[in-house]
Amino acid sequence: MTPSLTALLCLASDVLPGTLPKPTIWAEPGSVIPWGSPVTIWCQGTLGVQVFHLDKEGNSAPWYRQPSLEPGDKGKLSIPHMTQPYAGRYHCYYLSPTGWSESSDPLELVVTEVHSKPTLSALPSPVVTSGGNVTLQCDSWEGLDRFILTKEGEPKSSWTLDAQRYPHGQTQALLPVGHVTPSHRWMFRCHGFYRDAPQVWSAPSDPLELLFPGVSGKPSLLTPQGPVVASGQSLTLQCRSDVGYDRFALSQEGRQALPQRPGRQPQAGLSQADFPLGPVTNTLAGRYRCYGGHNLSSEWSAPSDPLDILVAGWFPDTPSLSVQPGPVVASGENVTLLCQSRSTKETFLLSKEGAAWPPLRLRSKYQGGHFQAEFSMSPVTSAHNGTYRCYSSLSSNPYLLSHASAPLERSIKWHLGLTHDVTGAPGLKWYLNVLIGVSVAFVLLPLVLLVRHRGQSRRRKSGEDGQGQLRKRLSREVPFLSYSLPPAEQAGCRTYRQEGTYAQVNHSRSRLRRGVATSPSSLSGRLLDTKDRQAEEDGQRDGQAAASEAPQDVTYAQLNHSTVRRETAPPAPQSGEPPEEPSVYAALAVR
């Protein structure tokens, strides 16, 4: 494609550079341009320039010629779409009334994304200590024989590296970097190219930043899917912290990649980043840690606690899981989970569904034609209740597992039930005894309630008949009833209870000074007859005295069924008076 410019073409022999000051040449937006993007080459000389010429190395003719855009100032070459033919080394010079200038310094115009991007990693790890050493490694599977390694930010640096070729077409270049410190950010990228086309580069590698762990609060690393995932399952790791970090980084042990994600705040006081890792393959199995950092600092937080991601279903065998003595045990007893496999496996793992702790690991033992491991739980508590599975693995890659165990009755899940045995008997027997007792109680309870209800109904009916007669008599003869033994007679009485009825009399607008004795209707009729005459005489005298002071009205009398205490006073102490006969009284409650 011909550049879009107004230019005159001429042969190289028509113009020869002179001795005037050399112009300045540059490209906008830069000299490294992605394939298909626009770019402009500028050339600037001294005052009085009449014509600019642009020369591309490797081309003998034609040259590009352009009159000065401004008097004695600049000329430009606009390239709307950058492609391989425009990539190369350029020079410019100008013509003035006094002659030709010297040639400018060279400008290398590079086109990128022509080849697939290489891989950039750090050995032994991108996590380094301050003052430590690290080796950067750039790899390509296209057979690119040279690499350009660039350090972004300030100060900028670049290295051109010769690649070594390995079998199967892989090429690789190494660059040792020593004494790195967190005084500034160490961010790198690399490109690859062929020797015969040094300005035609590959796409840039993913950025690699060296991470300097610090002492600030470590984040937490977790996965919603749990530590054991199936091959092909989608996996996402979450790094979160109560420190307001701006970004998070995820590292996998034994691998050099260090992906970063910006932090977000799902709620106040919490920062978090999600790392979607895609469908699970064997390469995702391993140990992970994450770090938190701030945008204006090259130092990161302390690492999180490690998280092991285990990929199940990688080996075709399926172990079996059984329990001894049985799936239902009493709290405090001992139980053993037995994981077995006929295949040669070095390690067995026991996983509990929903548990925060990682799976338990045990070395296998060969016994009875099986490789097996016994996971003991003693004493069993309610915390052991749950669903368990077991897996097998090899020590060469402990993060790749077999299929999950086939539990009892060919169910995918097997539940370990617990019962609490307070009698010391086996848990199942105790459970059956409790079940039988509860069933009997449900049968007998309605019968007991029915019998009691009938008895209460009969007593209530008989009590209402007796209360009605007493209510009429009291309302006619006694305005207020109150009686109690003198203190001397109350001391040391024998007490027993007898069911009976007491009267309750309510008054309005009355001031009462004294009362008379009576007894409940349920006591013997003889007691009422004995006290009746005295109560009537005393009632008349007290009624007259009370009437002289204030009027009194009886509103109503109410009989309540209650329990009467019948008490007998003991003989009086030795004195000059003869002992009194034991007196019987009834306590009358008044509301």
Side-chain angles (χ1 to χ4, degrees), residues 136-156:
L136 303 180
Q137 176 179 297
C138 203
D139 295 272
S140 173
W141 287 95
E142 277 196 42
L144 304 175
D145 46 21
R146 303 199 81 179
F147 293 97
I148 294 289
L149 184 64
T150 57
K151 177 183 175 297
E152 300 180 357
E154 296 297 334
K156 292 183 178 181

Side-chain angles (χ1 to χ4, degrees), residues 506-564:
N506 294 331
H507 300 271
S508 61
R509 297 182 294 104
S510 60
R511 292 184 301 170
L512 304 177
R513 299 303 179 90
R514 290 187 303 273
V516 296
T518 185
S519 63
S521 61
S522 62
L523 295 179
S524 64
R526 183 174 56 82
L527 181 60
L528 289 174
D529 295 336
T530 303
K531 300 296 181 178
D532 189 58
R533 182 178 294 103
Q534 181 180 356
E536 184 175 358
E537 295 175 357
D538 294 343
Q540 291 176 357
R541 289 193 300 270
D542 293 341
Q544 293 173 0
S548 63
E549 295 179 7
Q552 57 179 336
D553 297 329
V554 177
T555 303
Y556 65 92
Q558 179 179 350
L559 298 178
N560 293 324
H561 192 70
S562 179
T563 299
V564 179

Side-chain angles (χ1 to χ4, degrees), residues 21-87:
K22 63 183 179 181
T24 303
I25 187 171
W26 73 95
E28 291 182 353
S31 60
V32 180
I33 305 299
W35 192 92
S37 298
V39 62
T40 300
I41 300 176
W42 289 90
C43 187
Q44 183 175 12
T46 59
L47 293 175
V49 174
Q50 297 174 341
V51 179
F52 285 99
H53 288 260
L54 184 65
D55 181 19
K56 180 175 180 289
E57 288 185 7
N59 292 351
S60 58
W63 288 11
Y64 297 112
R65 177 186 179 193
Q66 181 186 35
S68 175
L69 297 179
E70 300 178 10
D73 198 7
K74 302 176 184 176
K76 70 175 181 178
L77 170 64
S78 296
I79 302 173
H81 303 285
M82 184 66 183
T83 58
Q84 293 95 312
Y86 292 112

Side-chain angles (χ1 to χ4, degrees), residues 294-316:
H294 300 283
N295 290 331
L296 301 180
S297 173
S298 59
E299 191 171 16
W300 293 73
S301 71
S304 68
D305 293 331
L307 172 65
D308 291 343
I309 297 299
L310 309 175
V311 178
W314 187 252
F315 300 114

